[in-house]
Amino acid sequence: MAKRDYYEVLGVARNATESDLKKAYRRLAMKHHPDRNLGDTHAEGHFTEAKEAYEVLTDARKRAAYDQFGHGAVDASAGGGFAGAGGFGDIFDTVFGDIFGGARRGGQAQHGADLAYDLELSLEDAVAGTTAKIEVQTVVACRTCHGSGARPGTTPVPCSTCGGHGQVRMQQGFFSIQQTCPRCRGTGKMVRDPCGTCLGQGRVRDRKTLSVKVPAGVDTGDRIRLAGEGEAGPSPGAPGDLYVTIHVKKHPIFTREDSDLYCEVPISFVTGALGGELDVPALDGRFVLKIPPETQTGRLFRMKGKGVKSVRGHRVGDLLCRVYVETPIHLGREQKDLLREFERSLAGAEGRHSPKTSSWLDGVKRFFEDMKP
């Protein structure tokens, strides 16, 4: 099948600048990259075609030869497709290195991309610590070629541009400058016979299951770093890291503030007035909360050492119970009559039995007196 015109492949004019070429290739590569189109041979073909066109048109010597003589002038030297192209990810890494982890910069092996994972935990697990199983989608070294990108039984060959050194020397006037080889990106090697599994890239997408050891006392927003569990780096680069961010689920009883726990405890009108004892839950069991007589709504009771041990220190927080006197509902006639009789028994002594009510009424009275002209 005859090759399409390189300018047509990238969708640019024949006088396109290098910046225009890069933008066009970036758009096509993002659309057709194999990682985004697993098993789609049609997309893979478009990606390879765009890669080849970009490689030729961004090389001034090859572009001049192509403009004058067409495909025949560059087929033998351009390394169309995979042959001589320095591996599947060569040009792709040049344009997208900042997004996909990069291949190399300045001749130095680059780490694989870091990954992030949100882990949701119950309050009990966050306080006590746990081991959680998670599954992440990542990029791993190809098991077929062991990350080399070459078909099993073959090996990468020395780069024809730099002779396997990974560096080339450029002459600019009186100065000679050494820089990373643009073809092999500093590896000194090229893949002539690419692996059929990873298509010469040396890496494939996969899912893996990991165990995350969560220390006791973590809270929402804390991060756990799993070194080397990120994406595999371009050979011989090291893998990136995985950062697990903790999110603690809302608890039906307790709320947490730093190392302290809070809970709301409803008590009856009678218990508030006469006092009593209540069984109150804690994360490590239960305890008896003693309610003194004449307890008002909002009173706070502190249980020392019943909170959370901080993950960053040895301090153990407290459990603070805030009581609320609950007004009885769905009363029968007899119960209502008893309450009215009780209210009548307090008549004339509001200041003694309800000091806050008496004080509030006095304040209201003064307020209206001050408003009189």
Side-chain angles (χ1 to χ4, degrees):
M1 181 181 292
K3 289 185 177 181
R4 287 201 299 158
D5 179 77
Y6 285 148
Y7 293 99
E8 179 186 341
V9 169
L10 295 179
V12 297
R14 301 190 74 84
N15 62 348
T17 64
E18 185 171 345
S19 176
D20 295 332
L21 295 170
K22 186 171 183 177
K23 289 178 182 177
Y25 175 70
R26 187 184 183 103
R27 174 178 53 81
L28 292 171
M30 289 289 286
K31 180 179 179 181
H32 299 298
H33 191 270
D35 283 353
R36 296 191 169 198
N37 302 273
L38 295 178
D40 188 340
T41 56
H42 184 69
E44 179 187 324
H46 279 301
F47 178 79
T48 303
E49 186 181 43
K51 172 181 174 291
E52 179 181 331
Y54 180 78
E55 183 185 32
V56 170
L57 296 183
T58 52
D59 185 305
R61 179 178 58 82
K62 294 176 184 178
R63 183 175 181 177
Y66 175 76
D67 287 344
Q68 187 170 2
F69 302 107
H71 291 292
V74 295
D75 280 349
S77 60
F82 292 108
F88 180 79
D90 184 14
I91 298 301
F92 185 79
D93 286 332
T94 301
V95 180
F96 294 94
D98 56 329
I99 298 177
F100 290 86
R104 300 174 172 272
R105 292 186 180 90
Q108 298 296 319
Q110 295 297 305
H111 285 262
D114 292 334
L115 297 177
Y117 186 92
D118 292 323
L119 177 60
E120 195 173 54
L121 295 175
S122 66
L123 177 63
E124 290 85 349
D125 284 342
V127 171
T130 187
T131 298
K133 295 283 188 181
I134 66 172
E135 188 179 67
V136 295
Q137 184 173 353
T138 184
V139 173
V140 300
C142 177
R143 297 181 180 88
T144 303
C145 65
H146 304 291
S148 71
R151 187 181 299 277
T154 68
T155 58
V157 298
C159 174
S160 59
T161 299
C162 65
H165 298 292
Q167 301 284 321
V168 293
R169 192 171 295 278
M170 305 292 292
Q171 192 72 33
Q172 294 187 357
F174 294 104
F175 299 98
S176 179
I177 302 174
Q178 183 171 295
Q179 62 182 32
T180 302
C181 175
R183 180 181 291 277
C184 68
R185 304 302 298 162
T187 65
K189 298 177 181 180
M190 299 189 312
V191 176
R192 292 199 180 280
D193 191 6
C195 169
T197 301
C198 65
L199 305 179
Q201 196 174 17
R203 302 181 295 167
V204 294
R205 285 210 168 271
D206 198 4
R207 300 187 73 86
K208 61 181 179 180
T209 301
L210 300 170
S211 292
V212 182
K213 188 174 182 180
V214 181
V218 296
D219 201 358
T220 295
D222 288 339
R223 291 202 310 170
I224 300 171
R225 174 174 171 262
L226 301 182
E229 296 295 353
E231 292 190 353
S235 181
D241 300 328
L242 172 63
Y243 290 90
V244 179
T245 301
I246 301 298
H247 297 273
V248 180
K249 292 184 287 188
K250 185 177 180 180
H251 197 276
I253 297 176
F254 303 106
T255 57
R256 178 177 174 180
E257 291 184 12
D258 296 326
S259 295
D260 294 328
L261 294 176
Y262 289 80
C263 73
E264 296 181 357
V265 180
I267 61 175
S268 69
F269 167 76
V270 175
T271 301
L274 304 181
E277 294 184 348
L278 295 174
D279 281 340
V280 176
L283 291 179
D284 60 352
R286 63 175 61 192
F287 63 94
V288 175
L289 177 63
K290 293 183 178 181
I291 306 296
E294 302 178 0
T295 293
Q296 302 295 320
T297 288
R299 182 167 178 178
L300 202 63
F301 295 87
R302 182 183 297 270
M303 306 294 110
K304 281 289 195 180
K306 294 292 185 178
V308 182
K309 182 178 180 181
S310 173
V311 73
R312 298 177 180 83
H314 300 291
R315 177 183 177 269
V316 179
D318 304 326
L319 172 60
L320 295 100
C321 300
R322 191 181 302 275
V323 299
Y324 289 86
V325 178
E326 189 171 37
T327 301
I329 61 174
H330 304 307
L331 299 177
R333 177 178 296 179
E334 182 180 356
Q335 294 165 325
K336 292 178 181 179
D337 289 342
L338 287 172
L339 285 177
R340 292 190 182 100
E341 183 179 345
F342 172 73
E343 185 179 34
R344 285 193 295 271
S345 72
L346 301 178
E350 289 84 355
R352 178 182 176 189
H353 300 298
S354 304
K356 287 188 177 181
T357 300
S358 178
S359 176
W360 185 80
L361 290 175
D362 288 342
V364 171
K365 183 178 179 181
R366 286 194 298 271
F367 174 77
F368 284 113
E369 289 178 348
D370 291 342
M371 291 185 64
K372 290 180 180 179

